[in-house]
Amino acid sequence: MTERKFEMGYKEVKRFKRVLHIRTVEREITQGELAGQLREEKEIMGRLGEIESKRDSAMADFCAGGRDAVSPRQFWFERQNIDIIEHSLSDGRQELDVCRDKIEETKAELIERHQNVQLMEKYVGRLKDRADMEIIAGEQKNLDDITSMRYLNNMGHEA
């Protein structure tokens, strides 16, 4: 009967180790998602830097036009170009804000998953310790029984 109890203890440990493994994999997946989002944020910031450089160059060209006579049409086209660049910057900033919001959500999810893994690790550790203690107690009981039987057997031979 005690052997069955030991088996059940280790089956429980094995079952919760599988749960722990699943939670660990979920945490790793979330870490991967966060890494991807951080790369995306970096790319967006790079694009915004390029767009800002274009805008600065366009503004410098627009303001430096005092040397030559510029037609109203050319003036209008340059201004439209600056507006398009500004619109691209605005869109890029919105995209960056959305990306950063996703990053914050993923960080919160990662923290939660990490805490779940830690809790499960502690629980599995306690289950394993308990199962080990049950085995040790069972083995000690068997040893005590054997010792008692030998003692009684020796006492019977002496009498």
Side-chain angles (χ1 to χ4, degrees):
M1 175 139 177
T2 55
E3 193 174 306
R4 186 167 184 235
K5 187 176 178 182
F6 301 142
E7 255 183 60
M8 290 180 69
Y10 273 104
K11 283 184 181 179
E12 187 177 25
V13 170
K14 190 175 180 180
R15 184 172 64 240
F16 279 100
K17 276 187 175 182
R18 283 193 303 256
V19 173
L20 173 61
H21 175 72
I22 290 168
R23 289 192 178 172
T24 302
V25 168
E26 288 173 341
R27 179 182 64 184
E28 290 169 358
I29 289 169
T30 304
Q31 286 172 332
E33 289 173 3
L34 179 60
Q37 290 168 347
L38 291 171
R39 278 191 303 274
E40 181 182 354
E41 177 190 34
K42 190 174 181 178
E43 291 170 7
I44 293 170
M45 290 174 64
R47 279 185 291 169
L48 283 174
E50 290 173 11
I51 294 171
E52 286 173 349
S53 294
K54 281 183 186 178
R55 180 199 56 198
D56 293 344
S57 175
M59 288 294 285
D61 290 347
F62 184 75
C63 293
R67 289 176 266 157
D68 302 324
V70 178
S71 71
R73 183 179 204 157
Q74 180 65 29
F75 187 72
W76 184 82
F77 281 129
E78 287 180 13
R79 181 65 202 151
Q80 287 299 106
N81 186 37
I82 292 171
D83 287 344
I84 290 170
I85 293 171
E86 286 290 338
H87 185 71
S88 293
L89 267 176
S90 176
D91 289 347
R93 288 184 182 127
Q94 286 178 340
E95 185 181 359
L96 183 61
D97 288 342
V98 168
C99 182
R100 287 182 172 162
D101 288 343
K102 286 181 188 176
I103 288 171
E104 290 306 313
E105 290 172 11
T106 305
K107 282 181 180 178
E109 184 180 346
L110 182 59
I111 289 169
E112 182 182 329
R113 290 187 189 275
H114 182 67
Q115 289 171 342
N116 286 339
V117 167
Q118 286 181 324
L119 286 172
M120 189 57 65
E121 286 173 339
K122 287 179 185 176
Y123 184 68
V124 167
R126 284 194 308 261
L127 284 176
K128 187 173 180 334
D129 290 345
R130 187 175 67 199
D132 290 344
M133 293 301 287
E134 288 174 358
I135 285 178
I136 290 170
E139 288 175 356
Q140 185 63 48
K141 184 179 180 305
N142 288 339
L143 289 173
D144 291 345
D145 289 345
I146 291 169
T147 304
S148 296
M149 285 190 286
R150 283 187 177 168
Y151 178 76
L152 290 173
N153 194 18
N154 286 340
M155 290 298 283
H157 286 288
E158 290 178 10

